[in-house]
Amino acid sequence: MKNDGNDISITWVDDHESKYNIDWIKIQHQPESKLDQVFWSGQEIENEIPIVSNQESPEQVARVLTTSLLRYGIGLVKHVPPTLEATAEAVNKLGPVMHTLYGGMWCVQTDREFEKYQDTAYTAQELSVHTDNTYFIEPAGLQIFHCIEAAQQGGDTLLVDGFKAARTLKEKYPMSYECLKQTPIEWQYISDQNHYTCTKPIINCSAQSKEIEQIRYNIYDRSPRLYPFRNERNILYQSVKRFRDIVNEKNYQWKLQLTPGTVIFINNWRVLHGRTAFTGNRVLVGCYMGMNALLSKARILKLIV
């Protein structure tokens, strides 16, 4: 091996010689740097989320959206015509639509498709805050909604910063935090055509940074399969209840009314979403997007380096 101060030359056992720039080698040993996350509770975030106009250039829309999603777990785009097609065009400025058992772009309307999917989203009843796709090995990274027809009354969207909630759990009940980080829970989706299951903890941390990377929580997706040991079951149930109580606290929930013309992008690995009950017809169009697509866009825009 030779080092001339700028490059390192290595001669391998087969006499092949490789040359590597020292600055390049240093970069390869550094972890990726990301924008600092802002952890939030309830209405305090209402005036902090930047809103970008869909009339801006595609790169500007993607930059504002990606920055906001990395920091807050939420992004907003206004001036989008209230149609499925226009919503799809706005989504594609960030990345490709993720196709699942629900298709690509989809429409959620009261009592429409309920028999097909057996999903409470297709009803007018209240939905507790949750993340989607807990039964997938890799849940969608983003959940994207555009309310193209608001309900006659009710139907407010509820958003909770799951990372903030998990940090609160760690501060108040450290043993419960460790339980939800270490105990696998089975999540499932069963219909006539599909049977998905995945067994993962509610709180998932990065193997490298040890920071919280993903929240997987949905009371509607819990499998009835019991944890095998009674004492450990009791600890698990108590820990789940404590986390549930935190995310259902009013001061942790940002309550907002989605309106035609504004598309909301939600980090499904971080932010829990739900809604209040409503009357009348309410029509949402939207889709999922993979986390890989968001992170790829962030690297292209040099927001992750």
Side-chain angles (χ1 to χ4, degrees):
M1 183 174 71
K2 299 177 182 178
N3 182 349
D4 64 6
N6 294 315
D7 299 299
I8 291 177
S9 298
I10 299 175
T11 302
W12 305 98
V13 292
D14 61 356
D15 293 328
H16 175 77
E17 184 174 319
S18 299
K19 182 178 288 187
Y20 303 95
N21 180 267
I22 292 177
D23 290 336
W24 180 87
I25 293 175
K26 290 178 180 178
I27 291 173
Q28 307 318 308
H29 283 76
Q30 296 173 355
E32 284 189 324
S33 62
K34 301 179 182 179
L35 298 176
D36 291 337
Q37 294 177 325
V38 177
F39 304 103
W40 50 270
S41 298
Q43 301 297 135
E44 69 181 19
I45 198 64
E46 187 167 16
N47 297 318
E48 298 297 322
I49 304 295
I51 304 177
V52 65
S53 172
N54 192 46
Q55 297 169 355
E56 299 282 351
S57 69
E59 181 174 346
Q60 178 64 7
V61 171
R63 180 173 295 279
V64 174
L65 258 182
T66 305
T67 300
S68 186
L69 284 163
L70 292 176
R71 288 196 184 279
Y72 305 101
I74 299 172
L76 294 167
V77 181
K78 63 180 181 179
H79 301 145
V80 180
T83 66
L84 186 145
E85 293 74 19
T87 304
E89 290 181 8
V91 170
N92 287 330
K93 293 178 180 179
L94 183 63
V97 170
M98 174 180 173
H99 287 254
T100 68
L101 63 101
Y102 302 102
M105 297 296 299
W106 33 251
C107 177
V108 178
Q109 191 170 353
T110 314
D111 296 328
R112 179 181 172 184
E113 305 278 25
F114 177 77
E115 291 299 325
K116 179 179 179 180
Y117 296 119
Q118 294 294 305
D119 192 324
T120 46
Y122 294 90
T123 70
Q125 69 190 56
E126 176 185 3
L127 293 180
S128 298
V129 292
H130 59 279
T131 63
D132 275 18
N133 308 153
T134 56
Y135 40 80
F136 286 171
I137 294 172
E138 182 170 325
L142 299 182
Q143 168 94 70
I144 301 161
F145 291 130
H146 186 186
C147 182
I148 62 174
E149 183 179 338
Q152 180 181 352
Q153 185 176 4
D156 294 322
T157 294
L158 305 173
L159 300 173
V160 175
D161 185 349
F163 288 2
K164 172 76 172 183
R167 284 171 161 239
T168 300
L169 182 71
K170 185 177 183 179
E171 292 170 2
K172 296 177 68 174
Y173 308 107
M175 290 184 62
S176 290
Y177 173 84
E178 290 300 319
C179 176
L180 296 190
K181 190 174 76 170
Q182 298 175 14
T183 308
I185 294 175
E186 184 179 60
W187 314 92
Q188 69 177 16
Y189 174 89
I190 301 175
S191 70
D192 292 338
Q193 301 297 323
N194 298 283
H195 187 161
Y196 291 94
T197 69
C198 183
T199 304
K200 295 283 186 180
I202 288 176
I203 299 172
N204 296 272
C205 295
S206 167
Q208 294 178 322
S209 69
K210 310 304 180 184
E211 295 294 325
I212 301 171
E213 184 176 58
Q214 181 187 36
I215 300 295
R216 188 188 293 256
Y217 174 80
N218 192 323
I219 62 172
Y220 307 100
D221 295 344
R222 281 275 307 279
S223 163
R225 195 185 304 275
L226 296 177
Y227 197 72
F229 305 110
R230 181 176 178 182
N231 290 340
E232 293 173 346
R233 271 208 311 271
N234 291 341
I235 294 171
L236 173 61
Y237 291 159
Q238 181 188 59
S239 300
V240 172
K241 180 181 182 300
R242 285 171 171 171
F243 184 76
R244 183 203 66 188
D245 290 345
I246 291 171
V247 299
N248 285 329
E249 286 183 21
K250 298 302 181 184
N251 62 328
Y252 272 81
Q253 297 183 347
W254 177 23
K255 185 176 181 180
L256 68 158
Q257 182 67 251
L258 300 182
T259 56
T262 299
V263 180
I264 186 167
F265 292 69
I266 302 168
N267 181 339
N268 186 53
W269 287 20
R270 172 180 174 180
V271 176
L272 286 65
H273 67 279
R275 67 147 191 262
T276 62
F278 62 89
T279 58
N281 198 35
R282 181 175 184 264
V283 183
L284 280 179
V285 298
C287 63
Y288 295 121
M289 184 180 293
M291 183 58 72
N292 282 329
L294 173 65
L295 298 180
S296 172
K297 181 65 71 173
R299 294 184 184 104
I300 293 296
L301 295 172
K302 305 302 182 185
L303 300 173
I304 297 178
V305 294

